Amino acid sequence: MTRGDLLFPELRCNLREYARDQTIYAQGGGADCWYEVIHGTARICHYYPDGRRQIMAFVFPGEVLGLERAGRHNSAEALTSIQLYRHALDDLSLRLDIDGRGEGDHPAIEKALKAARESIALLGLPTAIERVAAFLLSVAHRTHGGPLLYLPMSRADIADYLCLTMHTVSRSMSELARRGLIVLDAPQRVRLLAPEKLAHLAGVELANMFGGEAQLVA
Amino acid sequence: MTRGDLLFPELRCNLREYARDQTIYAQGGGADCWYEVIHGTARICHYYPDGRRQIMAFVFPGEVLGLERAGRHNSAEALTSIQLYRHALDDLSLRLDIDGRGEGDHPAIEKALKAARESIALLGLPTAIERVAAFLLSVAHRTHGGPLLYLPMSRADIADYLCLTMHTVSRSMSELARRGLIVLDAPQRVRLLAPEKLAHLAGVELANMFGGEAQLVA
DNA sequence: CGGGGACTTGATGGTTGTCAAGAAATGTGG
DNA sequence: CCACATTTCTTGACAACCATCAAGTCCCCG
């Protein structure tokens, strides 16, 4: 199941490992490469001078980070121990073409654009509970697709991603549990009981963006 | 001053004109080209089945739209009468390299990514007045850079872009005027009296994103 | 001059941020 | 393995902010 197994031995020199909470690259530095996640999860953060932090994205296996030719606008940090494949900036082809055939000549950049669109869509949802519902569906779809999911990030991370406070995220989770849409086995372990109702909360279209309901009923 | 003058006669066949409120391309259709704005302004809209509308971006001269190889996720509509240069999808070079030298091999996509980052940053601001302040700075920077600016979009458009209501946008504008940061000569004609104070509201870093204060004091 | 659309403004209620405390989970040393 | 310390998460009370509902104003255009 480990995706590193898919790689030829001569390509292993491009593999990088980071421990939990390590910085993969730092905001303000120069960019000499981009990465593809083999396994583990990262967060992309932007720090403002006033101390606020905005999480631009979470990056799961098969997704990309660091596509900034001009330099690092954001920091990348390991949420869990993480294994990355390091690419040269002028090579925009993916190592793991998981989705089947590529999506044009620049699949890496197009993945990045798609992720940005998804973030904007999430922030466009008017209420906290809708954003949390959409977030859970997004994570489910982007990891295994099953109804039992592990959240590698803290409530504060989720809050900084959805532009809410940790408290509101927590309240929304509790409210979803109270309505019977999810079960909180542990703070970071969530079962999606009614993904179709979550999808309705998140907006039908957004739910489609996350791959629809079919995969979640598995 | 008209940018069409910069084009060689043999390239005029790729110019397209649209009148105000015309649709440039529609959500759900196929994508066979992307565009560069010569003059005029467009809005990129995403329509949800429940009737909500999210404006993903406003596109000013020198900026790009329609970079979606897989098909149209969004609609593009002319805010004013608009002149576009039509590009093939496999040619990602810009016709107008306004910023001087290009920014790598894929300047068009990198412009699109930069615009997406800016939208996320705007939505990350916690209060309505901060978003409106940042929005005004952004428009000023992306048009002429001077303190006197014309807003080609309606309050409702701004609201759907900043994820607020038209009413809150209007109230925020009035509040900025009350504080002496701007003057509302007409609903769509705004003078920035204190761009540095607007920048402080919007957050220093965001202000830098919009080109800093120097250009606004002109 | 009259009509309609866009904008502004007021009153009210719902949602979220803030402040504060408590509960649960995690880690550490005995 | 347990007790304790620390961090993370949850929950409550309150205040601030924004959406909603409802008028009212301004401006453009016929």
Side-chain angles (χ1 to χ4, degrees):
Chain A
M1 211 53 181
T2 302
R3 290 207 165 96
D5 299 345
L6 299 174
L7 299 169
F8 295 120
E10 67 266 30
L11 298 177
R12 289 190 186 277
C13 57
N14 282 321
L15 288 181
R16 295 285 184 279
E17 297 254 359
Y18 295 89
R20 184 167 184 268
D21 286 331
Q22 261 194 300
T23 298
I24 299 166
Y25 55 77
Q27 180 173 332
D32 59 339
C33 63
W34 60 278
Y35 302 93
E36 196 176 346
V37 178
I38 305 302
H39 65 250
T41 313
R43 63 171 173 244
I44 311 296
C45 308
H46 190 89
Y47 293 95
Y48 294 97
D50 59 13
R52 287 192 315 115
R53 177 187 73 160
Q54 186 166 11
I55 291 186
M56 313 301 278
F58 295 108
V59 194
F60 292 100
E63 301 177 338
V64 303
L65 60 151
L67 278 165
E68 305 166 284
R69 182 175 301 272
R72 301 299 183 200
H73 290 85
N74 309 309
S75 296
E77 299 159 8
L79 267 176
T80 64
S81 69
I82 191 171
Q83 191 178 26
L84 303 170
Y85 188 91
R86 191 174 181 281
H87 288 262
L89 268 182
D90 48 316
D91 171 25
L92 291 177
S93 60
L94 291 170
R95 179 121 315 273
L96 307 174
D97 200 345
I98 290 177
D99 306 341
R101 67 244 162 266
E103 333 157 34
D105 295 335
H106 312 287
I109 294 188
E110 284 171 21
K111 273 205 175 202
L113 260 179
K114 187 180 166 195
R117 264 203 308 269
E118 185 179 304
S119 288
I120 295 176
L122 272 182
L123 294 179
L125 292 172
T127 66
I129 202 166
E130 292 172 50
R131 290 191 206 169
V132 171
F135 173 75
L136 291 176
L137 286 176
S138 170
V139 172
H141 175 241
R142 290 158 68 196
T143 52
H144 43 70
L148 186 65
L149 68 129
Y150 175 75
L151 301 175
M153 69 292 286
S154 71
R155 294 288 188 266
D157 287 331
I158 299 174
D160 287 346
Y161 180 59
L162 300 179
C163 294
L164 301 168
T165 60
M166 178 196 349
H167 311 245
T168 303
V169 172
S170 184
R171 269 186 260 267
S172 299
M173 293 270 202
S174 301
E175 177 62 24
L176 288 175
R178 205 171 300 123
R179 295 189 196 176
L181 305 192
I182 64 174
V183 174
L184 287 166
D185 293 322
Q188 306 204 320
R189 189 158 287 284
V190 183
R191 264 182 294 154
L192 308 187
L193 288 189
E196 71 288 347
K197 289 183 183 169
L198 285 175
H200 186 257
L201 254 183
V204 184
E205 180 115 354
L206 254 179
N208 288 340
M209 202 172 194
F210 301 147
E213 302 160 18
Q215 299 186 49
L216 288 159
V217 189
Chain B
M1 212 53 181
T2 302
R3 290 205 166 98
D5 299 345
L6 300 174
L7 300 169
F8 295 120
E10 67 266 29
L11 299 176
R12 288 192 187 276
C13 57
N14 283 320
L15 287 181
R16 295 285 184 282
E17 297 254 359
Y18 295 88
R20 185 167 184 270
D21 285 330
Q22 261 193 299
T23 298
I24 299 166
Y25 55 79
Q27 180 173 331
D32 58 339
C33 65
W34 62 277
Y35 302 92
E36 195 176 343
V37 178
I38 306 300
H39 66 250
T41 313
R43 64 171 173 243
I44 310 297
C45 309
H46 190 89
Y47 294 95
Y48 295 95
D50 59 12
R52 288 193 315 114
R53 177 187 73 160
Q54 185 167 11
I55 292 187
M56 314 300 279
F58 296 109
V59 194
F60 292 100
E63 301 177 338
V64 301
L65 60 150
L67 278 165
E68 305 166 284
R69 183 175 300 270
R72 300 299 183 202
H73 289 87
N74 310 308
S75 296
E77 299 160 8
L79 267 175
T80 65
S81 70
I82 190 171
Q83 191 177 27
L84 303 171
Y85 188 90
R86 192 175 180 280
H87 288 262
L89 267 183
D90 48 314
D91 170 26
L92 292 177
S93 60
L94 291 169
R95 179 119 315 274
L96 306 173
D97 200 346
I98 291 176
D99 304 342
R101 68 241 161 265
E103 333 156 35
D105 296 334
H106 312 287
I109 295 189
E110 285 170 23
K111 273 207 176 200
L113 260 178
K114 187 180 166 195
R117 262 204 307 272
E118 187 179 304
S119 289
I120 295 176
L122 273 182
L123 294 178
L125 291 171
T127 67
I129 202 165
E130 292 171 50
R131 290 191 206 169
V132 172
F135 174 75
L136 291 176
L137 287 176
S138 170
V139 172
H141 175 240
R142 289 158 67 195
T143 52
H144 42 70
L148 187 64
L149 66 129
Y150 176 73
L151 301 176
M153 69 292 288
S154 71
R155 295 288 188 266
D157 286 331
I158 299 175
D160 286 348
Y161 179 58
L162 300 179
C163 293
L164 301 168
T165 60
M166 177 196 351
H167 311 218
T168 302
V169 171
S170 184
R171 268 186 258 267
S172 300
M173 293 268 203
S174 302
E175 176 62 25
L176 287 174
R178 205 171 300 122
R179 295 188 196 176
L181 306 193
I182 66 174
V183 175
L184 286 166
D185 293 324
Q188 306 204 318
R189 189 157 288 284
V190 183
R191 263 182 295 154
L192 308 187
L193 289 189
E196 69 288 348
K197 289 183 184 173
L198 286 176
H200 185 257
L201 255 183
V204 184
E205 178 115 352
L206 254 178
N208 287 339
M209 201 171 194
F210 301 146
E213 302 161 18
Q215 299 186 51
L216 287 159
V217 189

